[in-house]
Amino acid sequence: MIYDLHSHSNHSDGLLSPADVVQRAKDNGVDVLALTDHDTLSGLAEAQAAADQLGLKLIPGVEISVSWGKRVFHVVGLKIDAENKQLCDGLQELTKQRHSRAQKIAERLEKCGIENALTAAKDLAGEGNVTRTHFARAILAAGKAKSEADAFGKYLAQGKKAYVKTQWAGLDEAVNWIKAAGGVAVLAHPARYKMSQTVMREFLGDFVRAGGAGLEILNGGLSADMIRQNIRLAERFGLQGSAGSDFHNPAFPWTDLGRLPAMPREITPIWHSWTE
Ligand code: AMP
Ligand code: MN
Ligand code: MN
Ligand code: MN
């Protein structure tokens, strides 16, 4: 069975529609897929309809932006009830934060000589949540960066000119919403955060106390060393293992759907008790 429990559609910063994400997952041999858009559930109905048609198991998911001290972490909720009011209300607040942040990002980009970035980013986002990735694509289209990653490096990453500090969900809050919606909370891409292992361990202590259940052992593009590091963290904190490509864009083959190695034997997969 191939599990891929972290992916994005154009309801946040993925390029494909939810139905096209599901189709690509199917084509790539994925059996169980979670769609986990940033701070929104709005793509799940379309993904579910496509999954039903193609005979693929869809796990309703979300990737929640969390503020912990001055740092930002991403917590994935899996097997959530997309109708749950507490979760929906919480995510709606985050969408509002995204709108007001987008305005501020655009003002700062304007000072860097990049005009009309708000309109451009909103056009790219359509009905979906506005993310920094949309700004990166707008900057790229304006010829002010060589790639999305370059746009982050020049303007959008933490510490750069157009970075805007934002108050996201609290850690307890995010985990509580996920649990209220019947889901399990998983720390996304542990290797992606720029911090010492000491700070990471402090965070994971809080995550476990809040009710967090899992950690992504496997992501697209991880080295063997990074996977070993993730295994050590999961073992130390008694967390189950998840696996997700973090697929956004078919042009990035290292994060394509369903291309992850097998879950290491010493780790209990987060799906071990999933019966249907
Ligand atoms: P946001 O949640 O709007 O702050 O945007 C975060 C998203 O930006 C992440 O989920 C990634 O998809 C993308 N991202 C963050 N940092 C980088 C980077 N250095 N290069 C490319 N994409 C990035
Ligand atoms: Mn993203
Ligand atoms: Mn993330
Ligand atoms: Mn993601």
Side-chain angles (χ1 to χ4, degrees), residues 8 13 38 63 133 246 248:
H8 296 275
D13 57 352
H38 295 287
E63 182 173 15
T133 308
D246 204 2
H248 286 76

Side-chain angles (χ1 to χ4, degrees), residues 6-8 13 36 38 63 74 76 188-189 192 246-248:
H6 186 155
S7 69
H8 296 275
D13 57 352
T36 55
H38 295 287
E63 182 173 15
H74 286 174
V76 164
H189 43 63
R192 186 92 51 81
D246 204 2
F247 172 77
H248 286 76

